[in-house]
Amino acid sequence: MLGSTSAAALSRPFGERLAPAARLLVCATVPWFVCVWLGTSTAPVPAALPAVLILRDDVFAAPRLALERLAGVVAGVVLSVLVLHWLPAGSLSFLVLVVCACAGMYLLSHNGSPNQQVLITALVIYATPVPGYPLARLEETAVGIAVVVLLGPLLCPPDPYREAASGLEEYRTGLGALLERVAARAAAGRPTGPAPADPFARWRRPYELSAALDRRTERLLLLPPRRAPAGAADTLRPRLRLAARTAPALLFLARELEIRSSSADGERVAGGGERGGAGEEQPGAAPGGADEALRAMAPLIGATASALDAALRGEDCAQRLRLARALELRHRAAHPGRRDAVLRAGLHLTHEALAEHLDPAAR
């Protein structure tokens, strides 16, 4: 997940990458000058650390990360002050501090992730036995967190709707190219070389986009969510749901076609050898040994891909869907076998999802 996030960040335009950098710069320097003005210390480095550690790609997660960091700093300061108050500096006090800080890390964990700030702060305070430093550390951290939480979302706030729409468009384009290759393999009715690389991450993408949109809009505390113009945001969530619902069906279709086309020639060669007729054609096979049911899937896949592409663009796909369903009925009448029904299953589920997308009341 981290690798895909980094790749997505590097693929952004320079202007979009410049905004987070400017936000980080402002949120790191403002707390420094505020603490210098307050006189907490001459070098209030802890005031700049919250911006570096909290402001990530998802700026809407800053309030939660800020609270976690503040709780970790408070716990680390309290532990180190108590240990140094009751025990002299040395191996015993260090061991007690590390044990207590590790326990505090897991007591303040979130979603199974320990709060490492407890141990870090405790060790820093223990290594800096200067009077007044623990209080200064708390003040500077609080100032840095306050600036990040209050000022960070106001500086070049990202638009979750635009990001989700861009991700959906990228998924739609890639899906169209994939279905075009799948239709070409089906039209051949036999293996046409190695199957194209199809990473499973492609099919997870709609779920990730929908979850990220919901998560980010729920965290908008100070700013109302920005929406795309001309009512595009009103159709964004239904289109994301359609993409997420059709992804498993299309994954099944791609895998089934790959298995069917890869095994068709082997089965026919074996069957022909056993039946003693290299020139004897098998039932359901086209001249030249191609799988006729598989070849007949090509226009059906193309029509379904066209209807889904129009729906993901936010256009009316009713006419394209009617054509796809007519081709499905024609294929079912010509090839009623069990294996052929399995071959059509992914497309049938896609048609049902498209029909409910057009008429949500029909669910």
Side-chain angles (χ1 to χ4, degrees):
M1 184 64 66
L2 181 60
S4 61
T5 303
S6 302
L10 290 176
S11 63
R12 295 176 183 172
F14 178 74
E16 294 186 8
R17 285 184 285 167
L18 183 61
R23 185 189 307 116
L24 177 61
L25 178 64
V26 173
C27 291
T29 56
V30 169
W32 171 285
F33 291 106
V34 171
C35 290
V36 169
W37 177 70
L38 293 175
T40 57
S41 65
T42 57
V45 174
L49 292 179
V52 179
L53 300 176
I54 293 176
L55 289 179
R56 303 175 183 175
D57 286 340
D58 188 3
V59 70
F60 303 110
R64 177 182 60 83
L65 296 175
L67 290 177
E68 292 178 5
R69 176 172 173 80
L70 183 60
V73 170
V74 171
V77 168
V78 171
L79 285 175
S80 59
V81 169
L82 291 177
V83 169
L84 289 175
H85 177 74
W86 294 104
L87 296 174
S91 299
L92 178 60
S93 61
F94 176 78
L95 181 61
V96 171
L97 178 67
V98 171
V99 171
C100 294
C102 288
M105 284 172 52
Y106 288 95
L107 288 175
L108 297 177
S109 63
H110 177 77
N111 290 337
S113 179
N115 192 333
Q116 299 178 346
Q117 192 60 48
V118 179
L119 181 58
I120 294 174
T121 302
L123 292 178
V124 170
I125 299 298
Y126 182 85
T128 314
V130 177
Y133 179 73
L135 180 60
R137 172 88 180 192
L138 280 176
E139 293 175 347
E140 293 166 1
T141 301
V143 171
I145 288 176
V147 171
V148 168
V149 172
L150 298 177
L151 191 59
L154 299 176
L155 298 173
C156 305
D159 188 348
Y161 289 95
R162 185 182 62 183
E163 294 179 0
S166 176
L168 179 60
E169 178 64 18
E170 181 181 356
Y171 169 78
R172 184 192 66 80
T173 304
L175 179 63
L178 172 65
L179 292 179
E180 184 178 351
R181 294 196 301 268
V182 169
R185 288 174 58 82
R190 61 178 61 178
T192 57
D198 180 22
F200 186 70
R202 177 202 307 276
W203 308 107
R204 289 201 317 266
R205 186 61 176 157
Y207 297 95
E208 294 173 352
L209 291 171
S210 182
L213 179 62
D214 293 338
R215 183 176 63 250
R216 292 179 177 183
T217 51
E218 288 174 358
R219 290 172 178 171
L220 287 171
L221 301 178
L222 301 178
L223 297 175
R226 297 195 298 174
R227 298 181 179 273
D234 297 333
T235 64
L236 178 58
R237 291 184 189 274
R239 286 187 289 143
L240 285 173
R241 285 194 296 266
L242 175 65
R245 185 175 177 186
T246 55
L250 294 175
L251 171 61
F252 174 79
L253 169 68
R255 290 289 182 256
E256 187 63 26
L257 281 171
E258 178 183 336
I259 295 172
R260 177 76 171 258
S261 63
S262 298
S263 61
D265 275 1
E267 291 180 359
R268 280 190 295 272
V269 170
E274 290 174 359
R275 292 167 191 173
E280 181 182 351
E281 293 186 2
Q282 300 300 316
D291 187 342
E292 184 61 27
L294 191 61
R295 296 182 65 176
M297 287 286 292
L300 175 56
I301 295 173
T304 304
S306 176
L308 181 59
D309 184 78
L312 293 180
R313 290 199 309 266
E315 300 176 359
D316 184 20
C317 64
Q319 184 175 358
R320 293 181 175 92
L321 179 58
R322 284 194 294 269
L323 173 61
R325 282 187 154 173
L327 292 174
E328 181 189 1
L329 292 175
R330 188 183 307 171
H331 190 278
R332 182 185 305 171
H335 308 282
R338 179 178 57 84
R339 290 192 64 198
D340 299 330
V342 172
L343 197 61
R344 293 187 300 268
L347 293 177
H348 179 74
L349 293 175
T350 303
H351 297 166
E352 292 298 320
L354 284 168
E356 293 188 6
H357 175 74
L358 289 172
D359 186 13
R363 295 182 181 180

